[in-house]
Amino acid sequence: AAGVIQSPRHLIKEKRETATLKCYPIPRHDTVYWYQQGPGQDPQFLISFYEKMQSDKGSIPDRFSAQQFSDYHSELNMSSLELGDSALYFCASSATGVGDTQYFGPGTRLTVL
Amino acid sequence: AQRVTQPEKLLSVFKGAPVELKCNYSYSGSPELFWYVQYSRQRLQLLLRHISRESIKGFTADLNKGETSFHLKKPFAQEEDSAMYYCASQHHNTDKLIFGTGTRLQVFP
């Protein structure tokens, strides 16, 4: 069965650069979630979208923005990168939003030098 | 605010021994609770959710509202159970998951 796809899998950037992470949900899933997992930490919710509209927002820095496109894929844009942004970024998708199972992608490992 | 606590960072057992991974939540309402597992170099996968009342790969978890706990149990651990286990909660009027810090389970032969 098709799973959530994330690209790139690994990304290395310098401080103050920008990065774009992409997430392709499972077909027919209309909700996308982004989580950030720092080294040795639990995943922290960043933001979610349902039917291309932002549905919830967590501890996402103002330097980050995200959107969901008409084909339901989502992009997380990160600007003015800081060393502390180095983390594993997970995307998850679900079919109906609240209460439905979230299926996770493999993650994008971002390293900021 | 919702909070999920997993007090053990590492749990080591021998094959065939019983396993209990502890999870406590703090929320006055009735959150939905999940256990996710992450095997080495793989993505987070849903193991089970309390609303389903299922047993997956021999694991079960019972919601105890009095103790606000959702401990994960398996009577006989297998080597292939070695992984990182995350307990997570979801409030019924939001869709985000609140994760615990995770417990690494090591099952020795």
Side-chain angles (χ1 to χ4, degrees), chain B residues 65-76:
Chain B
K65 290 187 178 180
E67 295 181 358
T68 59
S69 68
F70 188 56
H71 303 329
L72 184 68
K73 298 177 185 178
K74 185 169 182 176
F76 307 104

Side-chain angles (χ1 to χ4, degrees), chain B residues 21-70:
Chain B
L21 285 78
K22 291 184 168 49
C23 171
N24 289 89
Y25 65 92
S26 63
Y27 177 61
S28 58
S30 298
E32 184 144 2
L33 291 155
F34 306 80
W35 276 99
Y36 277 84
V37 59
Q38 189 172 30
Y39 300 102
S40 179
R41 298 195 187 90
Q42 295 187 28
R43 66 188 68 195
L44 279 164
Q45 303 173 38
L46 178 68
L47 182 60
L48 52 80
R49 56 194 294 179
H50 90 272
I51 200 169
S52 303
R53 295 179 166 268
E54 293 175 300
S55 172
I56 306 293
K57 299 185 179 182
F59 285 97
T60 58
D62 291 318
L63 177 62
N64 185 324
K65 290 187 178 180
E67 295 181 358
T68 59
S69 68
F70 188 56

Side-chain angles (χ1 to χ4, degrees), chain A residues 57-100:
Chain A
K57 193 172 180 180
S59 50
I60 184 169
D62 292 340
R63 299 178 287 109
F64 294 6
S65 64
Q67 56 182 323
Q68 186 180 32
F69 295 85
S70 57
D71 63 352
Y72 295 104
H73 94 273
S74 178
E75 294 184 5
L76 177 65
N77 298 293
M78 310 159 72
S79 62
S80 302
L81 287 169
E82 301 173 357
L83 296 178
D85 296 329
S86 295
L88 193 56
Y89 290 84
F90 287 109
C91 171
S93 73
S94 68
T96 56
V98 176
D100 204 7

